[in-house]
Amino acid sequence: MTRKVDLRRFTGFQAITWACLFMLYAPLIVVMVYSFNDSNSITIWGGLSLRWYGDVFWGPEAEKFKVAALNSIVIAVSAAVVSTAIATSAATALLRAGRFRGKSLSFVLVNMPLMVPEIVTAVASLIFFSAIGFTAGYLTILVAHIVFCIPFAYLPIAARMQSIEDVYEHAAQDLYASKWQAFRLILLPLMAPGIISGFLLAFIISLDDFIITNFVKGAGIETLPTAIFGSVKQGIKPNIMAISTLLLLVSVLFVTLSWLVGRKGQKQ
Amino acid sequence: MAGGGISSGGQGSDMYEGLGARLILPAWAIIGFFLVLPVGLMLIYSFLTKEFRGGVIWEFSLAAYDQFFFDRGLFGDEPPKIEWTYINIFWRSIWQAALATVFCLFIGFPTAWFIATRSGSNRQIWLFLITIPYWVNLLIRTISMKFLIRDNGPLNEFLLWTGLVDSPLHIINTNFAVQLGLFYSYLPFMVLPIYASVERYNFAFSEAAADLYASKWVTLRLIILPIVKPGIIAGCILVFVPSLGAFLAPDLLGGAKNFMIGSLIEEQFKGNAGNWPFGAAISMILLSMVMVVLTLYARAQSKEEASR
């Protein structure tokens, strides 16, 4: 029997989906287009040019942005490395180590940074660092970033680990591999796509963070988001649009990479 | 089977039996020391006396909570009245977050449905397109929105050009701008869990309903919505909770008149008000509200699972 009506289709849903996509991308595309505007004003269109990109790299604020970008990258790489290692270890414990005391509480703990509102984490970290006399600066930002990157690194790593059966490791063990060898030579290579995905997501999350960084950073230390926020407080200038476009492209690049790696892992 | 039981890679695997506690230790140490302990300390700080230059004096005091709920006049000697300023800010934040959640639901549900009913590879691409904006820096997205909707921005220029309006629409620095910003920030959070629910939906139910002469919209209301409800609720929580404590959207799009909890907290630490115990108290109140929402959700979910 063939049906005349497609039960999966609802009138208007496709239009709403396109509208949704349009709303998500329109502001970003507008800013990208205006970043190529050859005009001192952000309102008047003065023709195509790359002058504001030149301004980002060589203009009066270039030094500030360069230092901030370097800080952001160093912190994001370090936070991503540490949180990925912790998340991999945690995933192995929660998915591969049978039962142990405090296991169910551990699930809650690993995901806790996602449950506490970001502004509350920011306040708590600021209070804690000041109470123990940890001078605000590079290290405070790094430590705070490691904490909230853990659940983001954990998600793709755990998803990948769940999809790998442990028969390979058991086979290795039957052939007299130690647990460590089974982990390092069998599980870890199989886990690679998940771990890379987790690393890339943690990197992006750290690179993007504004609220927590703004609270725990010391005077004089800026990351890219706090530097941009500082500039925007005096109004949106054309160079902000150029730098936003650059940062946007970096994010899209990393997420695409993470997606491709994850997909490749699924196909194997 | 003891020791070498082979299982699928699910949660039952005991490959590294006995090492669990050691492997989870780094996560416990970092999150425990740098998140759980700080939140505990924040609770203590909310009961201390404020130091005028920021920071605290270690003396027990209820002043922070008192300031939140009661107005005792300029010199603190009048009989206490209810202080509405902060309660109103909380109320406005709840209202703004709720409206943003409703907008997200009305756009997010049809989108999730449409994506979940595509064929395999198309579906992956649609999902990817919806998630990309989430990974773009929230600050940059909020700035983009501000740029787009300001009085002489591209949106107004376009509307003037088409002749739909005679004078620019004033959107920026209104409540609506904040709702729009929150909607824009968290829309993907609504789409993804609903998508996951719809993907598992068994269309045999729809066919059964159609065989019994139910129209499509009746089927949607009476069959589909109750079945995918867990996804809808998860999406609403994922949008509502971060919206409630949002800082960037209200700060950049709302201006000074449309203060929300996030800005109020920030002002206690970064601004001129500089009242740490009060900031800690507001944060505790916000955290308790979020925890109540999450606990209710967890309860409802475990009930749902038990009834299956």
Side-chain angles (χ1 to χ4, degrees):
Chain A
M1 190 184 96
T2 51
R3 270 179 204 284
K4 287 195 189 87
V5 283
D6 179 0
L7 292 169
R8 288 157 196 266
R9 271 192 59 161
F10 282 90
T11 324
F13 278 22
Q14 182 166 17
I16 292 176
T17 308
W18 281 105
C20 175
L21 211 61
F22 177 76
M23 280 184 278
L24 285 173
Y25 284 91
L28 300 177
I29 290 170
V30 165
V31 162
M32 273 173 128
V33 169
Y34 271 83
S35 72
F36 294 105
N37 184 7
D38 183 31
S39 163
N40 284 321
S41 149
I42 54 167
T43 316
I44 302 155
W45 181 257
L48 275 176
S49 114
L50 286 172
R51 70 182 268 213
W52 295 111
Y53 287 89
D55 187 79
V56 166
F57 289 102
W58 298 286
E61 284 188 299
E63 197 51 38
K64 186 177 96 183
F65 285 135
K66 250 180 237 168
V67 173
L70 193 67
N71 285 343
S72 272
I73 290 169
V74 171
I75 289 169
V77 170
S78 325
V81 168
V82 178
S83 57
T84 307
I86 293 173
T88 308
S89 172
T92 314
L94 295 176
L95 299 175
R96 278 273 201 280
R99 291 168 180 281
F100 58 91
R101 271 181 63 183
K103 186 171 172 177
S104 44
L105 193 60
S106 301
F107 277 107
V108 177
L109 196 83
V110 167
N111 288 305
M112 201 172 138
L114 290 179
M115 293 188 279
V116 179
E118 217 182 332
I119 189 116
V120 175
T121 308
V123 167
S125 305
L126 172 67
I127 286 176
F128 179 70
F129 288 139
S130 92
I132 63 169
F134 203 165
T135 327
Y138 232 84
L139 258 183
T140 51
I141 303 177
L142 180 60
V143 168
H145 280 208
I146 289 171
V147 173
F148 72 77
C149 282
I150 290 175
F152 287 96
Y154 178 82
L155 291 174
I157 291 174
R160 175 80 186 157
M161 199 177 284
Q162 251 165 344
S163 72
I164 301 171
E165 291 182 37
D166 66 356
V167 287
Y168 309 108
E169 294 148 89
H170 280 295
Q173 222 174 9
D174 288 345
L175 299 167
Y176 300 103
S178 68
K179 277 184 177 171
W180 167 243
Q181 280 172 325
F183 176 78
R184 193 170 59 87
L185 298 173
I186 310 291
L187 183 59
L188 223 44
L190 286 171
M191 284 292 302
I195 292 176
I196 294 170
S197 248
F199 174 85
L200 293 173
L201 294 189
F203 178 84
I204 285 289
I205 287 291
S206 164
L207 196 67
D208 280 3
D209 178 72
F210 168 75
I211 294 175
I212 294 173
T213 312
N214 187 37
F215 266 74
V216 302
K217 80 188 174 70
I221 294 186
E222 301 281 356
T223 62
L224 218 36
T226 64
I228 292 174
F229 185 78
S231 290
V232 169
K233 274 278 150 187
Q234 286 122 38
I236 303 175
K237 281 171 286 179
N239 64 341
I240 293 298
M241 283 189 270
I243 202 166
S244 296
T245 305
L246 291 173
L247 206 52
L248 197 155
L249 293 178
V250 171
S251 298
V252 172
L253 181 76
F254 272 82
V255 175
T256 312
L257 273 179
S258 163
W259 186 66
L260 290 176
V261 170
R263 219 168 59 139
K264 203 176 157 211
Q266 276 170 12
K267 275 184 187 159
Q268 277 170 1
Chain B
M1 240 188 287
I6 290 176
S7 69
S8 69
Q11 303 194 355
S13 171
D14 52 5
M15 175 69 207
Y16 305 100
E17 179 90 64
L19 294 173
R22 247 176 287 171
L23 287 167
I24 199 72
L25 190 68
W28 271 86
I30 292 278
I31 297 175
F33 196 70
F34 292 108
L35 186 62
V36 179
L37 201 62
V39 169
L41 194 65
M42 186 175 79
L43 177 64
I44 296 174
Y45 264 51
S46 71
F47 290 105
L48 295 179
T49 309
K50 76 166 175 177
E51 167 89 72
F52 284 94
R53 285 162 279 116
V56 288
I57 303 166
W58 282 83
E59 253 171 58
F60 177 80
S61 156
L62 284 171
Y65 292 94
D66 189 79
Q67 182 184 348
F68 188 91
F69 291 108
F70 299 109
D71 174 12
R72 293 177 192 273
L74 197 55
F75 302 103
D77 52 359
E78 292 167 30
K81 289 175 288 182
I82 301 276
E83 168 70 270
W84 288 106
T85 317
Y86 306 114
I87 296 172
N88 280 339
I89 290 176
F90 264 70
W91 179 239
R92 180 160 62 226
S93 303
I94 293 170
W95 180 240
Q96 299 276 53
L99 278 176
T101 309
V102 170
F103 290 162
C104 283
L105 182 60
F106 275 99
I107 299 289
F109 181 81
T111 305
W113 179 274
F114 179 77
I115 295 175
T117 52
R118 296 305 93 195
S119 65
S121 61
N122 267 343
R123 191 191 294 180
Q124 289 303 318
I125 291 168
W126 272 105
L127 260 190
F128 183 57
L129 286 174
I130 294 289
T131 38
I132 277 192
Y134 169 67
W135 296 108
V136 172
N137 199 317
L138 183 59
L139 174 63
I140 288 178
R141 279 189 289 154
T142 312
I143 294 172
S144 307
M145 187 52 95
K146 185 179 173 124
F147 179 76
L148 184 69
I149 63 174
R150 80 208 140 85
D151 287 348
N152 49 2
L155 178 68
N156 271 317
E157 265 176 40
F158 176 74
L159 290 175
L160 287 172
W161 178 73
T162 57
L164 282 169
V165 294
D166 300 325
S167 56
L169 292 177
H170 183 67
I171 306 175
I172 197 92
N173 295 347
T174 62
N175 277 330
F176 178 68
V178 178
Q179 288 148 20
L180 195 65
L182 293 174
F183 162 81
Y184 185 50
S185 305
Y186 304 118
L187 180 58
F189 284 177
M190 181 65 85
V191 176
L192 296 177
I194 297 181
Y195 163 83
S197 283
V198 175
E199 201 189 20
R200 284 196 305 267
Y201 174 71
N202 184 350
F203 277 91
F205 290 121
S206 289
E207 279 167 32
D211 288 343
L212 298 168
Y213 301 104
S215 77
K216 268 207 263 184
W217 295 97
V218 169
T219 311
L220 178 69
R221 200 159 50 87
L222 297 180
I223 312 286
I224 299 170
L225 284 181
I227 291 180
V228 300
K229 201 175 78 186
I232 293 176
I233 293 174
C236 288
I237 286 177
L238 285 178
V239 172
F240 182 77
V241 165
S243 294
L244 197 58
F247 170 71
L248 285 173
D251 191 73
L252 289 171
L253 301 171
K257 271 192 302 180
N258 302 290
F259 232 54
M260 278 175 64
I261 302 173
S263 317
L264 182 64
I265 293 175
E266 205 244 14
E267 199 176 57
Q268 307 311 319
F269 294 93
K270 293 270 154 186
N272 300 321
N275 187 340
W276 284 32
F278 188 50
I282 305 166
S283 304
M284 276 319 298
I285 296 170
L286 172 63
L287 183 61
S288 326
M289 281 166 46
V290 169
M291 287 302 146
V292 167
V293 172
L294 291 180
T295 313
L296 286 178
Y297 171 64
R299 279 244 185 97
Q301 245 200 343
S302 57
K303 233 185 235 170
E304 192 117 345
E305 264 163 37
S307 71
R308 259 177 211 163

